[in-house]
Amino acid sequence: MKEIYMDNNATTKVDEAVFEEMRPYFCDLYGNPSSMHFFGGQVQKKVDEARNRVANLLGASPEEIVFTACGTESDNAAIRSAIEVHPERRHIITTRVEHPAVLTLCRNLSKRGYRVTELNVDGEGRLDLNELRAAVDEDTAIVSVMWANNETGVVFPIEEVGKIVKEKGKGAFFHTDAVQAVGKIPINMAASTVDMLSISGHKLHAPKGIGVLYVRKGVPFRPFMVGGHQEHNRRAGTENTAAIIALGKACELAGQWMEDENTRVKAMRDRLQTTLLELIPRSRINGGQAERLPNTLSIAFEFVEGEAILMLLSEKGICASSGSACTSGSLEPSHVLRAMGVPFTCAHGSIRFSLSRFNTDEDIETIIRELPPVVRRLREMSPFGREFLNA
Amino acid sequence: MWDYTEKVREHFLNPRNVGDIPDADAVGEVGSLACGDALKLYIKLDDAKERIVDAKFQTFGCASAIASSSALTEIIKGKTLDEALATTNQEIADFLGGLPEEKMHCSVMGQEALEVAIAKYRGGPVPTHHDHGHEEVEPGEIVCKCFGLTDTFLKKVIAANKLTTAEQVTHFTKAGGACGGCIPKIKELISEVLGAQPTEERKKPEKLTNLRKMQLIQETLEKEIRPLLWADGGDLELVDISGSEVQIAFRKACAGCASSGNTAKFVELKLRDLVADDIVVQEVEG
């Protein structure tokens, strides 16, 4: 059975070229970059090269790049730094559709006395900038708004958000979780209002266990990982050198593949979307009217439940994801779909396909062939689906 | 990915008895689209209207909901109504070789549908489950407003499955799984049900050997103390015992809890009360 992997917003395959770049740094070039001898020095040079490559993809300076372990660490580091720098400010703004890395932290901080505003989204997953404008004040320590949503792919107007934060926040920091956006859409930090930005390596064909926090030059920063002097005192701990080197290569490749992502990959996504809507009645796109990442399709099928669809697809070798409650063990469907007001009839049966440059037209054809019978089979089994089919 | 047994997978991929029985003697329906799972159960009786000769189902839900429905129909076929009514959700789960705890509510849904079908057939009061709205309502106070679950129903599931934490009650019934507002009430119900069970009063022994003392400390932690911590989402682990010094490490919600010092004191008092007066409890990282 050929495996068709369309869950790239969860994690990606490590590019062979990325793996080859990191391979020597395990058993041969294993020096500690902090060491004073030549053996560590050659690794330090390669880490510097990786830092340059990451900075190039972001349109940033190398000294603005801090290597971390993952996107979650980067998000935590940014928000925790902001509240330490501004101890007198007790207000945090985020959105209802953030990744748990941000949302859980903010909700925990609210239990410690912080006022947390979670901005709403409309039915298409878009932010209301007027709500943001009304919320930001001089008590706001940080505004953390994701660049693109992991479930729907909806892209937020980050530069407009940043302008509002700078204008009304009078010193409030602006952080964006760009884990899903980096490598998929162009980002230029030199011309941006963003103070801090999070990246995760495994979302762009680097390995798991490596992340980046971009910290704009001049933005005061308080590390929550302390110890040695690595990363210019911004993140203690011996560098994960092989993964850093891999991430550098992955960023270089992401820049080269960006056009493909926005043309060929997008065309495959659009074909999948249009055909499934045609073939499967009572289906709808979550966030379909909003600007979205070129690789993401969140599609809902009424009267059926997501986990059951995923398991039947898995039997056919197709790997996707679901916004349904049952896949996560929680009882409510995805907080993103609920925040968008997606009706329960659709939220429980939502499936996310997230493509990468490694997907092919053949993959799309297979899904178009296999998915409609799966939905029909489950609808025939469902009391609500049967009512619909009989009507 | 859920760790489903081969039998759950088999009953999901090849469910038995899917469909309807147009001239069914009894139909039980529970769940709703909003809940995320629903089951409509059809039962056909023999001419004497006593034994179930056929059962079919329609299910909206995840793999374990479909597998549980399939299992239920297989279990009840050939049984009398009274025999079928005695089917527990645990029997459905056992038939499938077990279900993940988070999915136990699927087996409870099967049991509920069966109860509703038989109650409707017999013309007695129809139990209400989830927010599916039956005309006659089971007596009891609604505890979980999100899923429309009563205290009577929750107490029954708590007792039948020997549930000791609010999290377990959520896994088995969904109660508390949405807004979470009813969790304190669920904890009260657990205490009420557990408290209703006869417990033997334990007395502190007068003289203990070292070995017996250690055994008794372990026994007290397991039976008397840890279940109380579980009810609040916490836990502890026994790290070491040296004479009268007992080293414990807090886990889950107790780890890093601001009042863990008080909890350690409570553990010490409990051990002094039930084992020996000289016990000193020390919290360690482990």
Side-chain angles (χ1 to χ4, degrees), chain A residues 258-297:
Chain A
M258 188 91 70
E259 194 186 332
D260 180 74
E261 186 87 35
N262 286 278
T263 52
R264 189 184 62 89
V265 172
K266 182 174 185 300
M268 285 194 293
R269 190 276 310 265
D270 290 346
R271 172 161 160 64
L272 182 63
Q273 171 175 318
T274 310
T275 316
L276 290 180
L277 284 176
E278 276 170 16
L279 292 178
I280 304 177
R282 299 293 284 264
S283 54
R284 57 171 267 176
I285 307 302
N286 297 317
Q289 301 302 312
E291 185 191 346
R292 279 182 296 149
L293 293 173
N295 79 319
T296 307
L297 168 62

Side-chain angles (χ1 to χ4, degrees), chain A residues 81-217:
Chain A
S81 168
I83 60 176
E84 278 211 30
V85 170
H86 282 317
E88 75 290 358
R89 296 188 179 209
R90 306 293 290 174
H91 183 212
I92 297 167
I93 297 175
T94 188
T95 77
R96 287 179 65 196
V97 297
E98 292 298 309
H99 188 276
V102 168
L103 212 45
T104 307
L105 172 62
C106 290
R107 288 176 183 174
N108 285 349
L109 290 170
S110 77
K111 289 179 192 159
R112 285 174 40 193
Y114 284 89
R115 185 163 57 92
V116 175
T117 302
E118 291 179 13
L119 301 171
N120 293 298
V121 293
D122 68 10
E124 296 295 329
R126 292 172 295 216
L127 273 186
D128 177 354
L129 293 180
N130 286 329
E131 191 188 356
L132 170 70
R133 205 169 276 115
V136 188
D137 57 29
E138 291 180 31
D139 188 40
T140 306
I142 186 166
V143 176
S144 183
V145 170
M146 66 197 329
W147 202 306
N149 186 267
N150 48 312
E151 290 191 31
T152 59
V154 170
V155 177
F156 283 155
I158 285 302
E159 295 313 329
E160 290 174 51
V161 171
K163 279 180 198 151
I164 294 168
V165 176
K166 294 297 151 193
E167 180 196 326
K168 298 206 64 203
K170 309 269 189 249
F173 294 114
F174 178 34
H175 164 254
T176 181
D177 178 341
V179 159
Q180 296 294 345
V182 171
K184 292 175 190 155
I185 54 176
I187 285 174
N188 181 10
M189 298 310 290
S192 171
T193 49
V194 171
D195 294 314
M196 290 179 278
L197 171 145
S198 301
I199 303 181
S200 174
H202 74 106
K203 308 289 190 188
L204 65 155
H205 305 289
K208 296 160 188 66
I210 181 68
V212 163
L213 178 64
Y214 160 92
V215 184
R216 181 174 295 284
K217 214 180 293 177

Side-chain angles (χ1 to χ4, degrees), chain A residues 303-305 307-308 311-312 314-315 326-329 331-332 344-345 348 377-378 381-384 386, chain B residues 2 4 9 12-13 15 18 20 33-34 36 38 58-63 66 103 105 170 174 177-178:
Chain A
F303 316 122
V304 287
E305 200 277 329
E307 185 206 278
M311 284 191 62
L312 290 177
S314 182
E315 290 293 308
C326 272
T327 47
S328 60
L331 299 170
E332 289 253 292
F344 276 111
T345 52
H348 287 296
R377 176 183 166 180
L378 291 170
M381 208 184 297
S382 151
F384 313 112
R386 282 169 73 96
Chain B
W2 294 110
Y4 285 137
R9 271 175 52 81
F12 165 61
L13 295 173
V18 175
D20 59 4
L33 272 172
Q58 293 161 10
T59 291
F60 157 69
C62 60
I66 290 169
K103 297 285 193 175
H105 60 86
T170 302
K174 291 192 167 190

Side-chain angles (χ1 to χ4, degrees), chain A residues 47-57 60-62 65 67:
Chain A
V47 168
D48 290 343
E49 182 190 53
R51 200 182 302 278
N52 282 325
R53 284 169 160 176
V54 176
N56 282 342
L57 180 66
S61 301
I65 304 301
F67 289 112

Side-chain angles (χ1 to χ4, degrees), chain B residues 9-68:
Chain B
R9 271 175 52 81
E10 164 58 19
H11 274 261
F12 165 61
L13 295 173
N14 302 298
R16 280 61 153 177
N17 313 309
V18 175
D20 59 4
I21 301 175
D23 58 343
D25 290 295
V27 179
E29 207 171 344
V30 292
S32 71
L33 272 172
C35 286
D37 48 24
L39 167 58
K40 194 168 183 180
L41 177 72
Y42 298 82
I43 291 173
K44 182 74 185 160
L45 299 174
D46 62 5
D47 292 341
K49 300 295 176 195
E50 187 53 34
R51 200 167 287 276
I52 297 169
V53 289
D54 198 9
K56 287 194 185 296
F57 76 91
Q58 293 161 10
T59 291
F60 157 69
C62 60
S64 51
I66 290 169
S68 294

